[in-house]
């Protein structure tokens, strides 16, 4: 905040470039929003790293149109990124493309960005961070496949993400994977698995203070489907209403 107030744009850009990706992996990238929105619009649009960071914030919030415009702008300015931060920018750009693919349901973009992520992480990340980035890439591929109806592929990538997140302690990624796996099970008509995964996701959410987040809404909605399968309409309506409320946050 002090950096932006002092109009130290280079410092803000460097801090945003350094911190937005770890914040994304931990589910906290939205915390950058007020900092970036405190900058003049032309500063964000004319700095590749600031544009990329804001694109990630917008895309993670589901603002596909605004996010992709900022991502395109970051691409236009990529040659201006200092050499010392170029590798990190390229990795971050590919990660933001994964978010765009998720928002747009674009399997080709998700696959392309995933390949770039896997090729870039060795040079740009520590070994532990590399594992979390790989896991997040797998998560986003699975989400895109889910919305395209490729349920077997979605399970493979989402379950890989869940196991990877468990191994590294990446709690937010694990939570996202559980919520989406519950949704896959609901779509596939496997009410028992949908219920078990949803309950796991909601217990995990309660333990981490995430009970009022959109992934918890996915779990509640999957529980609604499971309740309907058991002919418990009243419970299904309750779960659905809670899920719809959380998904709108």
């Amino acid at each position: 905040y002090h950096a932006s107030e002092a109009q130290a744009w280079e410092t803000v850009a460097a801090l945003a470039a350094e911190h937005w990706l770890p914040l994304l992996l931990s589910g906290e990238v939205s915390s950058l929003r007020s900092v970036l929105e405190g900058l003049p619009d032309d500063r964000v649009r004319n700095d590749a790293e600031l544009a990329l960071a804001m694109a990630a914030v917008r895309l993670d919030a589901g603002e596909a149109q605004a996010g992709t415009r900022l991502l395109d702008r970051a691409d236009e300015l990529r040659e201006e990124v200092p050499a010392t931060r170029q590798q990190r920018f390229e990795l971050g750009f590919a990660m933001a493309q994964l978010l765009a693919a998720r928002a747009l349901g674009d399997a080709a973009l998700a696959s392309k960005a995933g390949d770039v992520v896997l090729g870039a992480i060795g040079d740009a990340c520590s070994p532990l961070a590399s594992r979390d980035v790989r896991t997040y890439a797998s998560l986003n591929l699975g989400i895109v496949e889910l919305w395209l109806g490729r349920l077997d592929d979605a399970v493979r990538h989402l379950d890989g993400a869940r196991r990877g997140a468990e191994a590294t302690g990446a709690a937010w990624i694990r939570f996202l994977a559980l919520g989406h796996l519950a949704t896959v099970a609901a779509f596939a008509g496997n009410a028992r698995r949908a219920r078990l995964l949803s309950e796991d996701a909601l217990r995990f959410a309660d333990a981490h203070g995430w009970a009022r987040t959109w992934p918890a809404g996915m779990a509640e909605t999957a529980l609604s489907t499971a309740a309907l399968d058991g002919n418990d309409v009243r419970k299904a309506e309750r779960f659905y209403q809670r899920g719809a409320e959380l998904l709108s946050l």
Side-chain angles (χ1 to χ4, degrees):
Y1 289 93
H2 296 303
S4 60
E5 289 169 359
Q7 298 190 355
W9 313 120
E10 290 298 322
T11 302
V12 171
L15 288 172
E18 182 177 356
H19 293 293
W20 78 260
L21 185 51
L23 288 170
L24 177 69
L25 297 176
S26 63
E28 299 172 305
V29 74
S30 62
S31 64
L32 275 180
R33 186 167 197 141
S34 60
V35 175
L36 294 171
E37 287 183 344
L39 302 175
D41 287 344
D42 65 325
R43 291 299 310 185
V44 174
R45 286 193 53 78
N46 290 303
D47 184 296
E49 291 168 294
L50 290 175
L52 178 59
M54 182 57 94
V57 169
R58 292 287 182 86
L59 290 166
D60 187 62
E63 300 170 27
Q65 189 172 21
T68 52
R69 281 200 303 267
L70 284 161
L71 193 59
D72 289 342
R73 183 59 177 159
D75 190 27
E76 292 171 3
L77 299 169
R78 69 193 315 145
E79 297 301 323
E80 298 177 15
V81 177
T84 55
R85 300 202 293 267
Q86 191 69 43
Q87 286 180 331
R88 187 167 58 197
F89 177 86
E90 295 299 335
L91 174 62
F93 188 85
M95 290 291 283
Q97 282 188 310
L98 277 174
L99 291 176
R102 187 174 86 187
L104 300 169
D106 188 330
L109 178 59
S111 179
K112 177 183 175 182
D115 288 344
V116 173
V117 167
L118 296 178
I121 55 178
D123 293 328
C125 296
S126 67
L128 180 60
S130 293
R131 292 181 67 184
D132 286 344
V133 169
R134 286 179 188 273
T135 298
Y136 194 78
S138 181
L139 170 78
N140 281 279
L141 287 169
I143 292 172
V144 172
E145 289 158 349
L146 163 61
W147 299 129
L148 291 175
R150 301 177 185 175
L151 300 188
D152 290 341
D153 290 336
V155 168
R156 179 166 56 86
H157 281 116
L158 291 170
D159 202 48
R162 179 187 59 79
R163 287 184 277 106
E166 287 175 356
T168 63
W172 179 252
I173 299 176
R174 180 181 173 186
F175 179 40
L176 289 174
L178 283 170
H180 285 87
L181 281 166
T183 301
V184 173
F187 281 6
N190 190 334
R192 182 176 181 275
R193 180 168 169 78
R195 178 176 58 79
L196 292 174
L197 286 165
S198 296
E199 290 172 350
D200 282 351
L202 292 172
R203 279 194 296 269
F204 198 72
D206 286 339
H208 289 82
W210 294 330
R212 298 286 301 168
T213 61
W214 66 266
M218 295 192 70
E220 294 275 10
T221 304
L223 271 179
S224 174
T225 302
L228 270 180
D229 187 76
N231 295 317
D232 192 336
V233 176
R234 184 173 298 178
K235 186 178 288 187
E237 288 178 349
R238 187 168 68 249
F239 288 140
Y240 179 80
Q241 288 171 359
R242 285 208 303 249
E245 177 192 354
L246 293 173
L247 287 168
S248 69
L249 294 178

